[in-house]
Amino acid sequence: MIARLLLVICCLSGAAHAESDPQQEQNARVWLDKMSRALNERNYQGVLIYGDPSAWDTLSIKHSVIDGTEYEKLEHLTGLPRKIIRRGHDITCIHPGDHVVRTDPNITNPLTQSLVLSSSELTNLYDLQVGGHERIADRIAQRINVLPKDKYRYGYSLWVDMQSGLLLRSDLLSERGEVLERFQFAQVEIDGDIPISEFDDTDAGHRIEGHGLASGTGMIQPALWEPGWIPRGFMMTTRHEQAQAAQHHQTMVMYTDGLAAFTLFVDNIADSRMPDMNKSWGATAAVVRHMKFNDNGYRITVVGEVPMATVQKIALSVRPMLAAVPSGLINELE
């Protein structure tokens, strides 16, 4: 498992929010609902360009629904040769090397990885407006602008195919209207027949593993972790607990508000005195911090396509579940 202003882009540079237009919002919701259905229900194939202003990659994508089952094939055309093939919930990764890829099995298609909530729920968090028409991949697209109602998430511009409703382009935008990340079809064919042979996974590949909590005699159940604060509207979508040994445990928890998403990782480390780190690249921000709990060292990592201040505030609030929060652990970053 997709992810990406209002009025004119320059409105994002600090101007006050205009009041939402109910008719504009309703029209935008109709387009978003149509887009959500098209991404999962229609056949499409093409070449997708994705990245940020500093680096671009290309991806071949095929998506089909055959006898009620979704099939998907992603093939990287730049960098290391990699393929990801999905048959329903079964995912296989074909790539150089002999290691098993571990990832969230719900996320493959970059166009659908974050779109999990209905448009009616999104309007509690974002203002929606219908923009103009533009030509994308030789098709006419309707632009939908999505502006956050708070400072904890980014804005989006989405271009939806007028005929099919398929998402043709998605821009993730900073508060200043800068493009932080873009997905865009350079070429696309919609509603054509795609034979099931296109999704054959018999080549040498590796089935993607989920993260399950290992069982074993004498295994110590480590503390579970969660953020003490998350922005309004974010909900947990995935939680994995993995224990490889009594003293090595990892937690991975994913959250989304329907468009934006972030992931929390917590794992045991021998030395909790290692330096903390804040880093951002493109639309992605990451914070790594270290702490001790019950005489054990832990590394806490939060990564997401949200502003750095949001990631920092989440990371500083992370604590063991059902445990007292140490004094001074949470530092409000208003």
Side-chain angles (χ1 to χ4, degrees), residues 71-85:
Y71 291 78
E72 199 164 67
K73 180 180 179 180
L74 305 179
E75 184 173 2
H76 291 262
L77 304 180
T78 51
L80 291 175
R82 291 163 289 160
K83 296 180 185 178
I84 297 177
I85 299 173

Side-chain angles (χ1 to χ4, degrees), residues 192-208:
D193 290 331
I194 305 177
I196 197 170
S197 59
E198 289 288 339
F199 305 97
D200 179 63
D201 61 359
T202 56
D203 292 341
H206 306 278
R207 195 159 307 282
I208 291 179

Side-chain angles (χ1 to χ4, degrees), residues 38-54:
L39 285 168
N40 296 307
E41 298 174 5
R42 287 189 176 271
N43 290 7
Y44 52 91
Q45 58 182 325
V47 175
L48 195 67
I49 302 171
Y50 68 98
D52 57 54
S54 65

Side-chain angles (χ1 to χ4, degrees), residues 67-268:
D67 295 329
T69 299
E70 272 192 85
Y71 291 78
E72 199 164 67
K73 180 180 179 180
L74 305 179
E75 184 173 2
H76 291 262
L77 304 180
T78 51
L80 291 175
R82 291 163 289 160
K83 296 180 185 178
I84 297 177
I85 299 173
R86 177 167 68 91
R87 294 166 165 248
H89 298 293
D90 189 19
I91 297 176
T92 301
C93 182
I94 301 169
H95 61 89
D98 57 2
H99 62 282
V100 176
V101 174
R102 290 181 171 87
T103 188
D104 176 15
N106 297 314
I107 293 179
T108 54
N109 187 339
L111 295 173
T112 62
Q113 63 182 10
S114 294
L115 191 65
V116 299
L117 297 185
S118 69
S119 63
S120 60
E121 294 170 300
L122 285 175
T123 53
N124 295 324
L125 308 170
Y126 297 87
D127 289 326
L128 308 178
Q129 277 201 357
V130 177
H133 297 163
E134 297 184 33
R135 186 164 168 259
I136 305 289
D138 200 26
R139 301 181 70 94
I140 303 302
Q142 173 67 64
R143 179 171 173 170
I144 308 298
N145 296 317
V146 184
L147 184 67
K149 292 183 176 181
D150 61 36
K151 61 184 179 181
Y152 298 118
R153 60 205 96 212
Y154 290 128
Y156 301 80
S157 277
L158 308 173
W159 284 261
V160 182
D161 181 47
M162 292 282 292
Q163 182 177 356
S164 67
L166 186 68
L167 178 62
L168 299 180
R169 172 177 159 183
S170 171
D171 283 5
L172 178 65
L173 301 163
S174 74
E175 64 276 7
R176 296 179 297 276
E178 302 162 330
V179 177
L180 299 174
E181 182 179 82
R182 173 175 295 166
F183 297 96
Q184 177 176 327
F185 276 107
Q187 178 274 328
V188 65
E189 178 186 346
I190 303 173
D191 290 339
D193 290 331
I194 305 177
I196 197 170
S197 59
E198 289 288 339
F199 305 97
D200 179 63
D201 61 359
T202 56
D203 292 341
H206 306 278
R207 195 159 307 282
I208 291 179
E209 288 189 356
H211 294 258
L213 179 61
S215 60
T217 304
M219 183 70 72
I220 298 174
Q221 177 62 52
L224 301 180
W225 296 75
E226 66 178 3
W229 177 89
I230 57 176
R232 180 173 66 93
F234 278 86
M235 298 188 302
M236 183 191 303
T237 60
T238 306
R239 184 180 189 97
H240 295 309
E241 302 288 338
Q242 184 178 36
Q244 297 176 347
Q247 298 302 318
H248 184 75
H249 175 261
Q250 184 182 66
T251 295
M252 185 187 81
V253 194
M254 300 184 67
Y255 295 83
T256 183
D257 69 353
L259 284 177
F262 69 87
T263 304
L264 164 67
F265 300 91
V266 182
D267 51 336
N268 297 75

